[in-house]
Amino acid sequence: EPEVTQTPSHQVTQMGQEVILRCVPISNHLYFYWYRQILGQKVEFLVSFYNNEISEKSEIFDDQFSVERPDGSNFTLKIRSTKLEDSAMYFCASSGTGGERAGELFFGEGSRLTVL
Amino acid sequence: LAKTTQPISMDSYEGQEVNITCSHNNIATNDYITWYQQFPSQGPRFIIQGYKTKVTNEVASLFIPADRKSSTLSLPRVSLSDTAVYYCLVGDLTGNQFYFGTGTSLTVIP
């Protein structure tokens, strides 16, 4: 079964450092998402991406965050200058062609980011 | 965005049917209702999606009344492996955004 893959599974970084989290969505999907989940809390929407541009973003997704689809397969989340409160599990998700299946998001296993 | 309200937690014994209700009083005409399951340290996994009436698949049923202001996820004969957090999401299918609520933490007891 096709799956969304994320790397790294765990990254530890110093406050103020840049971090890039990588995702390979399912190959024929068109919509891509990043979510984060702080330990013990709910899953929070960060950003959605379609047709090579951001289609929606939340208040969390400020100027420190950016997303990119540098080639036909990868989808990346960059945090320019990490803060302690960025420590969380970051989930990438993708979905198909829209319509009635657009609500079926396929999530990766997550990248755990620890900011020291 | 339609906000959802679910019970924070539920307990059930193995083999029982579990019904988790979600309230979404301001659901819009174009909104669908989608349920996800999340195990600790894993990404959420799609369970079921519906617009109205009843939808059933191999793992669950989703009941949606005519006014669509609530929905009920039904898990038949739960097992210990169904212990997880269950999220109800409401949104249209433009593929732009799906916001998770606080979810319902289901604990299945032997």
Side-chain angles (χ1 to χ4, degrees):
Chain A
E1 183 177 303
E3 60 182 19
V4 175
T5 57
Q6 292 186 239
T7 55
S9 57
H10 189 193
Q11 180 157 356
V12 181
T13 190
Q14 294 291 324
M15 191 168 55
Q17 295 296 303
E18 176 183 282
V19 161
I20 297 176
L21 305 178
R22 292 182 167 79
C23 170
V24 179
I26 293 173
S27 62
N28 62 345
H29 281 184
L30 300 177
Y31 299 86
F32 313 111
Y33 310 82
W34 282 101
Y35 288 81
R36 79 172 186 190
Q37 187 172 34
I38 295 170
L39 188 63
Q41 298 187 23
K42 68 178 185 181
V43 178
E44 298 176 294
F45 171 80
L46 292 179
V47 66
S48 57
F49 192 87
Y50 171 72
N51 201 24
N52 285 320
E53 62 182 22
I54 290 174
S55 49
E56 193 73 30
K57 59 183 180 179
S58 72
E59 292 177 352
I60 302 169
F61 195 88
D62 61 22
D63 291 344
Q64 293 298 314
F65 291 88
S66 62
V67 289
E68 194 178 34
R69 189 156 162 80
D71 52 42
S73 60
N74 291 286
F75 180 50
T76 62
L77 174 69
K78 182 193 291 187
I79 309 174
R80 251 180 285 279
S81 178
T82 51
K83 304 186 283 285
L84 295 176
E85 54 265 38
D86 293 327
S87 294
M89 182 75 93
Y90 288 80
F91 292 108
C92 173
S94 67
S95 67
T97 55
E100 289 190 11
R101 301 302 296 273
E104 186 170 355
L105 304 183
F106 292 79
F107 284 81
E109 289 300 303
S111 292
R112 179 167 297 286
L113 175 65
T114 302
V115 182
L116 302 177
Chain B
L1 294 169
K3 184 179 176 182
T4 60
T5 304
Q6 304 173 233
I8 299 290
S9 64
M10 293 179 69
D11 294 336
S12 176
Y13 288 100
E14 265 191 300
Q16 298 290 307
E17 177 184 79
V18 170
N19 295 309
I20 306 175
T21 297
C22 178
S23 296
H24 28 80
N25 289 317
N26 59 341
I27 189 170
T29 303
N30 294 332
D31 286 344
Y32 280 66
I33 301 151
T34 312
W35 285 80
Y36 285 82
Q37 176 192 56
Q38 186 183 28
F39 297 114
S41 299
Q42 294 187 23
R45 188 178 68 170
F46 173 91
I47 301 174
I48 198 166
Q49 179 178 282
Y51 183 80
K52 61 181 179 181
T53 63
K54 177 183 175 182
V55 180
T56 297
N57 62 21
E58 62 275 9
V59 298
S61 295
L62 178 59
F63 298 92
I64 306 168
D67 66 5
R68 305 199 327 121
K69 293 184 183 300
S70 66
S71 59
T72 300
L73 174 73
S74 180
L75 305 172
R77 297 181 300 282
V78 294
S79 63
L80 296 178
S81 62
D82 292 318
T83 293
V85 178
Y86 292 83
Y87 293 96
C88 161
L89 280 69
V90 174
D92 65 31
L93 299 187
T94 58
N96 285 335
Q97 55 183 288
F98 294 98
Y99 286 82
F100 285 74
T102 52
T104 298
S105 178
L106 172 67
T107 302
V108 180
I109 305 164

